[in-house]
Amino acid sequence: DLSFRVPDVSSPVVRKLYARLVSGQGKTLTENYEPIWIYPVKYRQASDIPFAIAESEDMNAAMSWGGYNIVPLEQNPPVALASVIDEQIRHYLGEGGSVIFFPQVQDEFLSKNNLKLESSILGGHSNCFYARKGLGIFDRILYENPFIWQFQKIWPEQAVFGIKPENHEAILAGEYKNYLHKQCSTVAEFRCGRGRIILCTFNLFKAAEGEPVAVIILNDLLKYATGD
């Protein structure tokens, strides 16, 4: 294992880790570098926005270490996290709540809205992940579209198909499957009665504890969900 201390920074930066293979005579035989994204410590701190988690062991386990302000849904917090849009969540939406929806399987909400959760296959030029800038969700992460390694630990394993071209603005982040001429969503926003649903297929809860990009996106999703 290789370990080293990175500098303290006040804003995100990219640094390069160089490696060289040198002969016994001091001649450089080959060299390369790996970009490293460094984020301020404050970016990795839990959001103070209160939220509920609706019946999800994976989310509860992931959140247990983070210091987040998790409250019961009955307290009507400004936002809730859910993996299924069940009757309890529908009631919460009906009261004007905001839900960040992390679908794991094809559920009733997706089917009723002609949306389909499908596998997202990585590799080569067949897939291009992108995220819209200026929304506040991804803006604290240094990336250019299509993005790659900055998000490697939270790659979306699934994406949502079926959003009509006229509703393109609902897609906040997505993927172009070039060889299939398909566009799909990895983050999308929907109105649902008086409430709103922000759908997300990024693997925020499978990332390692304290993974900066996962924490940043979750915090920014919470802020976005409680904004105008």
Side-chain angles (χ1 to χ4, degrees):
D1 292 341
L2 176 66
S3 62
F4 53 90
R5 182 178 296 277
V6 299
D8 292 330
V9 295
S10 58
S11 58
V13 297
V14 180
R15 294 290 183 260
K16 295 177 180 179
L17 177 65
Y18 286 89
R20 294 184 178 92
L21 179 62
V22 182
S23 70
Q25 292 72 40
K27 180 181 179 181
T28 297
L29 302 176
T30 185
E31 62 182 339
N32 206 339
Y33 69 87
E34 184 71 19
I36 298 176
W37 287 264
I38 304 173
Y39 297 94
V41 172
K42 63 183 179 181
Y43 280 23
R44 288 173 271 171
Q45 298 172 345
S47 169
D48 59 359
I49 296 173
F51 63 91
I53 296 179
E55 300 299 326
S56 174
E57 293 182 4
D58 289 344
M59 291 184 196
N60 277 304
M63 293 290 95
S64 63
W65 54 264
Y68 286 91
N69 185 10
I70 302 172
V71 300
L73 189 62
E74 291 74 20
Q75 292 187 13
N76 198 34
V79 62
L81 276 55
S83 58
V84 175
I85 306 298
D86 58 15
E87 186 61 36
Q88 186 182 32
I89 289 295
R90 283 195 290 270
H91 176 76
Y92 172 77
L93 287 164
E95 295 297 314
S98 293
V99 173
I100 305 176
F101 177 35
F102 297 90
Q104 306 300 312
V105 297
Q106 182 72 20
D107 79 342
E108 184 181 4
F109 169 81
L110 295 172
S111 297
K112 280 189 173 181
N113 288 281
N114 298 314
L115 302 174
K116 190 173 181 180
L117 188 66
E118 293 185 1
S119 173
S120 177
I121 303 172
L122 299 174
H125 297 286
S126 60
N127 298 62
C128 291
F129 286 103
Y130 70 94
R132 285 171 53 190
K133 298 195 175 192
L135 299 173
I137 300 175
F138 306 94
D139 295 346
R140 295 194 294 163
I141 299 169
L142 297 174
Y143 74 96
E144 294 296 332
N145 287 317
F147 58 72
I148 305 180
W149 299 118
Q150 303 93 319
F151 298 84
Q152 62 175 318
K153 292 187 178 180
I154 59 168
W155 281 122
E157 295 174 2
Q158 302 182 97
V160 173
F161 292 80
I163 296 178
K164 297 179 180 179
E166 58 266 30
N167 296 325
H168 176 81
E169 289 299 311
I171 299 177
L172 310 184
E175 174 189 11
Y176 286 101
K177 289 180 173 287
N178 295 338
Y179 70 105
L180 293 176
H181 303 288
K182 285 186 175 182
Q183 183 185 12
C184 51
S185 172
T186 53
V187 181
E189 182 175 17
F190 307 91
R191 298 300 305 180
C192 189
R194 293 171 54 197
R196 66 198 288 208
I197 292 177
I198 299 169
L199 181 152
C200 179
T201 63
F202 282 89
N203 286 315
L204 303 185
F205 306 103
K206 292 184 180 179
E209 180 176 322
E211 166 61 28
V213 172
V215 175
I216 291 168
I217 291 181
L218 177 60
N219 288 349
D220 290 345
L221 279 171
L222 290 168
K223 184 177 179 180
Y224 183 85
T226 55
D228 184 0

